[in-house]
C-alpha cells in the first residue's frame, strides 16, 4: 500500500510539474527554468535519470541567479552520476562548488565536494584521498554530510588498495 501511495504521489507531482512547464512556456524564462528544475527533480526521484539530466540541462540554461544555478547544477551532477556520466557529473559538481563558495553556502559546498569525490571514486583512475578534506570534514554539519564525504574518501582509499585507510575512514563516518 505504501509503494502504491508513493507511486501515486510521484505521478501527481509529475503531472503538476508538466503542467507548470506548459504554463511557463512563452512567459518568463526564469519561471520556465524553475518549472523544468522541478520536473527534473521529480524525474530524478522517479529514477528516470536520463530525463532528469535532459531537463536539468535545459533548466540550467534558463536559471538566471547564482543560487538557482547552484541548485540545478547539484541536481544535474547527481543525475549524471546515477546515469554513469562520471566526467560530466564532476564538471557539474565543480561548477556548483565554485558557486557555493562564491555564495558562502557551506552545506552546498560540502554537497558539491561530495559529488566531486564520488565522481572521482567512480572514474577509471580514482584520485587519492584528500587528507585536507578529511580533516576539514570533522567540523562539518550536518553529520550525515560528514558521513557521506568520509564514505566517498573511504571508497577512494579502497579503490587505491589502501584498505587500512579505508577502514579508518569508514569508522570515522559512522
Amino acid at each position: 500500500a505504501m509503494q502504491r501511495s508513493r507511486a501515486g504521489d510521484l505521478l501527481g507531482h509529475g503531472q503538476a510539474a508538466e503542467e507548470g512547464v506548459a504554463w511557463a512556456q512563452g512567459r518568463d524564462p526564469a519561471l520556465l527554468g524553475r518549472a523544468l528544475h522541478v520536473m527534473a527533480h521529480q524525474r530524478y526521484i522517479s529514477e528516470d535519470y536520463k530525463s532528469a539530466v535532459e531537463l536539468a540541462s535545459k533548466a540550467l540554461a534558463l536559471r538566471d541567479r547564482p543560487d538557482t544555478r547552484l541548485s540545478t547544477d547539484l541536481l544535474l551532477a547527481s543525475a549524471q552520476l546515477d546515469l554513469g556520466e562520471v566526467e560530466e557529473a564532476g564538471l557539474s559538481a565543480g561548477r556548483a562548488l565554485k558557486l557555493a563558495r562564491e555564495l558562502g553556502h557551506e552545506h552546498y559546498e560540502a554537497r558539491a565536494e561530495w559529488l566531486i569525490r564520488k565522481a572521482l571514486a567512480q572514474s577509471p583512475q580514482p584520485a587519492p584521498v584528500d587528507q585536507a578534506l578529511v580533516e576539514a570534514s570533522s567540523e562539518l554539519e550536518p553529520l550525515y554530510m560528514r558521513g557521506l564525504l568520509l564514505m566517498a574518501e573511504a571508497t577512494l582509499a579502497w579503490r587505491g588498495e589502501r584498505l587500512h585507510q579505508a577502514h579508518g575512514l569508514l569508522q570515522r563516518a559512522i
Side-chain angles (χ1 to χ4, degrees):
M2 183 109 141
Q3 289 284 44
R4 283 192 307 275
S5 173
R6 180 162 162 74
D9 287 348
L10 287 175
L11 181 59
H13 288 293
Q15 289 170 341
E18 288 175 20
E19 290 171 10
V21 168
W23 180 85
Q25 295 279 353
R27 288 184 165 78
D28 180 6
L31 278 176
L32 180 57
R34 176 66 183 143
L36 286 166
H37 176 96
V38 169
M39 196 169 165
H41 187 255
Q42 184 276 329
R43 297 288 168 82
Y44 180 81
I45 291 169
S46 300
E47 299 179 6
D48 182 357
Y49 304 123
K50 187 171 194 254
S51 291
V53 166
E54 291 169 2
L55 291 164
S57 295
K58 289 177 185 175
L60 190 58
L62 298 170
R63 304 304 294 258
D64 58 347
R65 294 188 345 245
D67 58 324
T68 60
R69 287 194 314 272
L70 169 60
S71 170
T72 301
D73 257 330
L74 289 170
L75 173 60
L76 180 58
S78 296
Q80 288 167 325
L81 267 178
D82 288 333
L83 194 58
E85 296 176 353
V86 176
E87 189 173 325
E88 294 85 349
L91 294 172
S92 297
R95 284 192 309 268
L97 178 61
K98 183 177 183 285
L99 285 169
R101 285 181 174 157
E102 288 172 7
L103 295 170
H105 201 307
E106 292 178 7
H107 177 76
Y108 283 158
E109 183 178 342
R111 188 164 166 222
E113 286 278 16
W114 167 63
L115 289 166
I116 289 168
R117 303 308 287 170
K118 231 177 118 174
L120 288 170
Q122 292 179 26
S123 70
Q125 295 296 321
V129 170
D130 183 336
Q131 202 56 46
L133 187 60
V134 168
E135 295 310 316
S137 74
S138 66
E139 298 177 24
L140 187 60
E141 295 291 334
L143 289 177
Y144 81 87
M145 186 53 64
R146 181 185 316 166
L148 289 173
L149 211 72
L150 289 170
M151 285 190 289
E153 293 303 309
T155 302
L156 287 165
W158 176 75
R159 294 267 332 266
E161 298 183 8
R162 294 177 308 282
L163 302 182
H164 183 73
Q165 184 181 26
H167 181 263
L169 288 164
L170 285 173
Q171 290 293 341
R172 285 178 71 173
I174 56 173

